[in-house]
Amino acid sequence: MSSEAVTVHIFRHAAFAPAGDTLVTVAPVACATIAYGAAGLADAFGGSALFENRNSGEKWVGVWGARNGARFRRRLRQFFTLSVEKSAPDARLALYTTRRGNRPDYRAWATDHARQTTG
């Protein structure tokens, strides 16, 4: 686990549901890549959102939904100490991906990923 705190942002965003108040959780792209590997969040959650500050070049990636956000943070805590900001990062939604059809089985993903990282 890294001793440096990684900032995770939790905020509401209008892009993911008709009500316009979906909870979104994002972390720096490099941190999410360490925690979720090259397959990324799309394999673990069935989708992801990328927020970008074009002036600074900073990028955050994450998931929407309260339960997905909790799972996302739990996994990040295995690698980093988290500092939670309850506000959006200084960035705009650049893109989001979602898979049609069935959502991935989180337990199956976690089991497969554990096998890949332990040997």
Side-chain angles (χ1 to χ4, degrees), residues 4-47:
E4 185 178 329
V6 170
T7 301
V8 174
H9 293 270
I10 301 173
F11 57 98
R12 299 221 175 251
H13 198 277
F16 303 101
D21 63 348
T22 302
L23 197 62
V24 178
T25 304
V26 296
V29 170
C31 298
T33 302
I34 289 169
Y36 283 92
L41 300 177
D43 282 353
F45 294 95

